[in-house]
Every structure is written in structure tokens, then in C-alpha cells.
């Protein structure tokens, strides 16, 4: 019988995560990784804008907790948008 794992609580606005690494575009904290999914928190403060198109091979869920986050898309038929705190965007796989 496997031992019972305790639920873990992360205070995202306090930057809590299991592992935090710095990147050129902010800090990335791993909240969960396993069972085919990964949850991370990304913190950006006056960081440069990534000029490369970002995309994932799977659906990507992005929730804004604080501040605002602007999305622009490579595909000209997709409308740019700005997410506010409490809003989530569901990006289809391979959307740049």
C-alpha cells in the first residue's frame, strides 16, 4: 500500500513553488510536474518582451493572478488580447 500524500498549498502571490529558476524573461517556479501535466508560475516584472513566438505541443492554460498579460499571435486571424487578474486563456496546441 502506498503512503498517503498530503495535499500541498502554494501561495502563488508570495512566489511559492517547489523549484524556482531565473530566465531572461522572468522567474519560473514549478508547482507540479508529473502524470502528463505540469503547473508552473511565471513572474515577470519589467522584464524584456520575448521576441520569439512561444508555442507548446499541447493545450496551454494561462491564468493571470496579478497585473496584466498581453497576448499577440502569429496567426493574423487571431485577435490580440490583454488578460486581467482572474482571467485565464486556453491556448490550443501549437498556437504561436
Amino acid at each position: 500500500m502506498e503512503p498517503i500524500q498530503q495535499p500541498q498549498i502554494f501561495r502563488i502571490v508570495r512566489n511559492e513553488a517547489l523549484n524556482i529558476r531565473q530566465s531572461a524573461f522572468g522567474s519560473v517556479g514549478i508547482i507540479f510536474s508529473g502524470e502528463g501535466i505540469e503547473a508552473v508560475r511565471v513572474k515577470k516584472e519589467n522584464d524584456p518582451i520575448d521576441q520569439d513566438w512561444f508555442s507548446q505541443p499541447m493545450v496551454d492554460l494561462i491564468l493571470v493572478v496579478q497585473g496584466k498579460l498581453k497576448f499577440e499571435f502569429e496567426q493574423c486571424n487571431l485577435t490580440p488580447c490583454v488578460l486581467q487578474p482572474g482571467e485565464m486563456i486556453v491556448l490550443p496546441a501549437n498556437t504561436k
Side-chain angles (χ1 to χ4, degrees):
M1 180 181 221
E2 290 185 38
I4 297 174
Q5 292 184 332
Q6 291 294 318
Q8 293 179 286
I9 297 172
F10 295 92
R11 291 163 188 86
I12 304 301
V13 295
R14 294 185 189 163
N15 299 319
E16 292 181 357
L18 294 174
N19 183 17
I20 299 173
R21 67 176 168 78
Q22 297 299 316
S23 78
F25 305 106
S27 67
V28 178
I30 302 294
I31 305 299
F32 177 83
S33 183
E35 302 176 26
I37 62 171
E38 182 175 71
V40 300
R41 69 108 186 105
V42 177
K43 181 179 180 183
K44 296 180 69 64
E45 288 186 358
N46 301 318
D47 298 309
I49 295 173
D50 186 350
Q51 298 299 319
D52 294 325
W53 292 110
F54 168 82
S55 71
Q56 293 278 60
M58 62 201 83
V59 172
D60 200 6
L61 307 173
I62 301 173
L63 170 67
V64 175
V65 177
Q66 288 182 312
K68 298 177 185 178
L69 185 58
K70 182 177 182 178
F71 286 86
E72 295 175 335
F73 305 98
E74 180 183 51
Q75 299 87 338
C76 60
N77 62 328
L78 299 178
T79 306
C81 60
V82 177
L83 270 62
Q84 306 290 327
E87 295 180 331
M88 177 183 277
I89 190 168
V90 179
L91 294 175
N94 302 307
T95 301
K96 293 183 178 184

